[in-house]
């Protein structure tokens, strides 16, 4: 709105893939957005890619610019939608590329210095926001890993205490394993079955689902039996599917 433009995009730079991914948009058509998602703009490609390389704003006329300054996957869409001018501002922090701010205008001609300066201010604010968000995600990820490690230690401690308290009785240990497995996986129910007489017999259970059987047949048609027979985990994501 401040630049008198028609639409705008904020890109997030994926350093591993070396591409720009559309993170936030205003008045970008579905076709345009689908193309950006299917074929992201590469580093150095188009106005935003060139701005990231030079570290400076890049303003172009869509019809007159060389193929290097208009990403080929979106050129036809931009022309078809009547967009004529693009201004790309790189989002940089201490030399690191974080993304790009791009505005598109339906009127031709150069962007004024005042507009460019204003958007550079917006870009600086976006850089700060992106950097803070990434720091928060890193801290949140580390905290999550620490919490998971602590939960595993607590569960292991419960099992070890059960072993120490009942060195000759396996039942308390199996009960502790079923309870700990349920809690660690944030699950609703857990059952431990052991081979007995050509079948799998219930040895321990924790949870609210009533157990109305004593044994399961050893056949691959039963999930638990298949895991036992094949010696590999079997993961069914949706029992109703």
């Amino acid at each position: 709105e401040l630049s008198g433009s028609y639409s705008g995009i904020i890109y997030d730079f994926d350093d591993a893939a070396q591409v720009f991914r559309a993170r936030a948009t205003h008045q970008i058509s579905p076709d345009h957005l689908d193309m950006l998602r299917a074929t992201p703009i590469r580093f150095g490609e188009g106005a935003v890619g060139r701005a990231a390389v030079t570290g400076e704003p890049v303003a172009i006329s869509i019809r007159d610019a060389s193929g290097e300054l208009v990403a080929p996957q979106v050129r036809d869409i931009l022309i078809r939608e009547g967009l004529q001018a693009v201004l790309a501002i790189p989002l940089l922090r201490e030399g690191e590329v974080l993304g790009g701010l791009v505005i598109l205008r339906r009127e031709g001609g150069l962007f004024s210095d005042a507009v460019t300066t204003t958007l550079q201010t917006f870009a600086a604010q976006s850089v700060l926001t992106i950097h803070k968000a990434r720091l928060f995600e890193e801290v949140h990820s580390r905290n999550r890993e620490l919490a998971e490690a602590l939960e595993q230690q607590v569960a292991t401690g419960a099992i070890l205490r059960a072993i120490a308290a009942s060195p000759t009785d396996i039942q308390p240990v199996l009960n502790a394993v079923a309870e700990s497995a349920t809690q660690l996986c944030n699950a609703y129910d857990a059952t431990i079955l052991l081979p007995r007489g050509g079948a799998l017999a219930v040895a321990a259970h924790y949870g609210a689902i009533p157990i109305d059987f004593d044994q399961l047949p050893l056949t691959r048609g039963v999930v638990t039996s298949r895991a036992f027979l094949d010696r590999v985990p079997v993961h069914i994501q949706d029992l109703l599917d």
Side-chain angles (χ1 to χ4, degrees):
E1 293 175 354
L2 286 175
S3 63
S5 300
Y6 177 75
S7 58
I9 307 171
I10 291 180
Y11 289 96
D12 191 15
F13 183 63
D14 184 340
D15 188 62
Q18 290 288 289
V19 297
F20 292 87
R21 304 190 187 279
R23 184 66 177 270
T25 65
H26 175 66
Q27 289 198 160
I28 297 298
S29 69
D31 288 345
H32 189 174
L33 188 55
D34 288 344
M35 181 60 70
L36 291 176
R37 288 172 174 168
T39 312
I41 295 175
R42 297 186 298 272
F43 182 75
E45 182 181 61
V48 67
R50 177 60 59 184
V53 170
T54 63
E56 299 292 338
V58 172
I60 62 171
S61 168
I62 294 172
R63 292 181 181 274
D64 299 335
S66 67
E68 295 179 352
L69 293 181
V70 180
Q73 62 267 47
V74 296
R75 174 187 282 274
D76 290 343
I77 292 176
L78 297 180
I79 294 175
R80 184 171 68 245
E81 294 180 353
L83 297 166
Q84 296 193 44
V86 175
L87 175 61
I89 309 291
L91 303 183
L92 307 172
R93 185 180 185 277
E94 298 179 354
E96 178 187 4
V97 179
L98 300 185
L101 169 62
V102 174
I103 59 170
L104 301 104
R105 198 168 61 188
R106 282 182 163 171
E107 296 76 25
L110 297 176
F111 291 86
S112 69
D113 291 341
V115 166
T116 301
T117 300
T118 299
L119 290 181
Q120 284 178 304
T121 301
F122 281 10
Q125 294 171 343
S126 299
V127 166
L128 183 60
T129 300
I130 293 172
H131 179 63
K132 286 184 175 180
R134 290 184 177 181
L135 287 179
F136 176 81
E137 178 57 32
E138 290 175 5
V139 172
H140 182 66
S141 178
R142 286 197 296 268
N143 288 342
R144 185 168 55 246
E145 292 173 357
L146 290 173
E148 291 175 355
L150 180 59
E151 289 178 355
Q152 293 174 6
Q153 291 178 2
V154 170
T156 301
I159 295 172
L160 291 176
R161 286 193 298 273
I163 294 174
S166 306
T168 60
D169 186 0
I170 192 176
Q171 191 60 50
V173 178
L174 294 178
N175 293 340
V177 170
E179 180 177 355
S180 296
T182 303
Q183 294 172 348
L184 278 178
C185 297
N186 194 27
Y188 188 69
D189 194 276
T191 305
I192 294 177
L193 299 100
L194 298 178
R196 183 186 300 165
L200 291 180
V202 176
H205 171 251
Y206 180 85
I209 300 177
I211 299 296
D212 57 0
F213 62 90
D214 294 326
Q215 293 183 335
L216 290 177
L218 279 177
T219 170
R220 284 183 173 79
V222 178
V223 173
T224 305
S225 298
R226 188 191 312 170
F228 175 81
L229 292 170
D230 294 344
R231 304 295 195 270
V232 294
V234 177
H235 183 195
I236 306 298
Q237 297 188 35
D238 189 349
L239 290 173
L240 299 180
D241 187 1

